[in-house]
Amino acid sequence: MAWLDSHAHFDPDRHHAAVIGLASTLGQHDSGLHKHQRGQLLFTRRGCARITLAQQLCLLPPSRAAWIPPLIPHRAVMQQSVDYRSIYLAASLCKDLPPQVCIIDVSPLLRAVLEPITDAAFDSDWTQGRNVHLLGLCLDEIRTATQQPMLLPMPEDKRLAPLLAIPDRLPPTLVVLEQHIGASGRTIGRIFQRETGMGYQQWRQQWRLMRAIELLATGHSLSHSAFELGFASDSAFIAFFRHMTGRTPKAYLD
């Protein structure tokens, strides 16, 4: 186990044990695009992280975890202070785990076993004793965890590049987008359906949800978040959030 400061970089592939655990509190941090030979479970105890994948944006909200399979290029950007736990699993341990990046709920049991795993020395033996039971519980909890819809596929069409240029900016309405790229709403809808699996309005709503969680989790007020995301009132924002998640913003973050 190691604690890192906000300027540290850690390479789990330099170590030989089947499991490597890491505990860290980072401020503003950008990992840069990279990949591991190992699978990674990244659990944010406080704060949130934005993970960029090939043609996908992924948000890791507080108290959830991101599962990143081996050899998947990714970039993690953390805003403000993020308190997290990370475990890196040898590829041989990942065969029964999800084959794609996903955001999962963290059960009380998974949360509990992550602490002794990240406390363990880097040269620990995970084939016997207490460690083998901790690892077995951890793998089973990852495998059976409920997944959260926190991945947003991005279109590849070059006419839509402005959508990718500033990921913090609210995507335009369909009418504005039609005028901007000179294509009909029907054409735009076909592009999004083909390249993201969603219509434009559905895609834009998913973007708003992910950005709403990011704003709230980094300390912005509900009123500020509602204004930034184009809602006419706080109540309209809360109704949208409840429709998308089944919970109010406060209940979701708690």
Side-chain angles (χ1 to χ4, degrees):
M1 183 273 285
W3 283 89
L4 298 185
D5 63 33
S6 60
H7 301 288
H9 294 275
F10 180 72
D11 181 7
D13 294 332
R14 295 177 56 190
H15 301 273
H16 301 292
V19 181
I20 300 296
L22 186 68
S24 185
T25 300
L26 297 176
Q28 295 288 126
H29 178 72
D30 186 340
S31 71
L33 186 66
H34 66 289
K35 62 183 178 180
H36 312 294
Q37 300 293 323
R38 299 167 176 267
Q40 180 184 10
L41 185 75
L42 177 59
F43 167 52
T44 49
R45 302 203 310 175
R46 185 185 69 247
C48 70
R50 184 186 297 172
I51 301 171
T52 304
L53 309 163
Q55 295 306 128
Q56 282 185 313
L57 287 178
C58 175
L59 182 70
L60 175 54
S63 299
R64 276 76 175 181
W67 166 245
I68 305 170
L71 300 176
I72 298 292
H74 60 283
R75 172 189 177 193
V77 176
M78 301 180 183
Q79 300 181 29
Q80 299 182 7
S81 179
V82 179
D83 180 15
Y84 75 86
R85 301 290 181 266
S86 189
I87 60 170
Y88 301 90
L89 303 170
S92 59
L93 297 174
C94 302
K95 295 176 181 178
D96 294 328
L97 300 182
Q100 70 287 325
V101 174
C102 55
I103 302 300
I104 63 172
D105 285 339
V106 176
S107 68
L109 180 55
L110 179 55
R111 185 172 186 136
V113 300
L114 284 175
E115 289 303 311
I117 290 176
T118 55
D119 279 343
F122 287 162
D123 58 356
S124 296
D125 182 354
W126 295 92
T127 63
Q128 59 184 350
R130 179 173 181 253
N131 281 354
V132 73
H133 299 296
L134 288 171
L135 177 58
L137 284 171
C138 181
L139 295 176
D140 192 58
E141 288 295 299
I142 296 171
R143 183 168 52 247
T144 60
T146 300
Q147 297 187 14
Q148 293 285 326
M150 288 292 115
L151 276 81
L152 185 68
M154 304 299 287
E156 299 182 45
D157 193 291
K158 292 182 180 179
R159 291 172 292 179
L160 299 169
L163 285 174
L164 310 179
I166 307 176
D168 292 350
R169 184 176 60 194
L170 176 64
T173 63
L174 183 58
V175 171
V176 171
L177 189 59
E178 287 175 338
Q179 296 171 348
H180 185 74
I181 71 171
S184 68
R186 182 172 296 179
T187 297
I188 293 170
R190 284 199 297 266
I191 292 170
F192 270 84
Q193 195 66 50
R194 180 179 69 247
E195 298 187 358
T196 73
M198 294 184 277
Y200 181 67
Q201 300 291 15
Q202 181 186 3
W203 182 90
R204 187 172 185 264
Q205 292 293 74
Q206 181 64 18
W207 184 97
R208 288 173 111 188
L209 173 64
M210 291 171 59
R211 182 62 177 150
I213 293 170
E214 188 173 43
L215 286 168
L216 293 168
T218 51
H220 293 88
S221 69
L222 189 144
S223 293
H224 173 85
S225 303
F227 176 78
E228 285 292 312
L229 297 172
F231 290 95
S233 65
D234 291 1
S235 59
F237 173 59
I238 293 171
F240 158 80
F241 201 101
R242 187 192 292 273
H243 173 73
M244 295 291 286
T245 69
R247 285 174 279 183
T248 64
K250 185 179 186 302
Y252 183 91
L253 292 173
D254 287 346

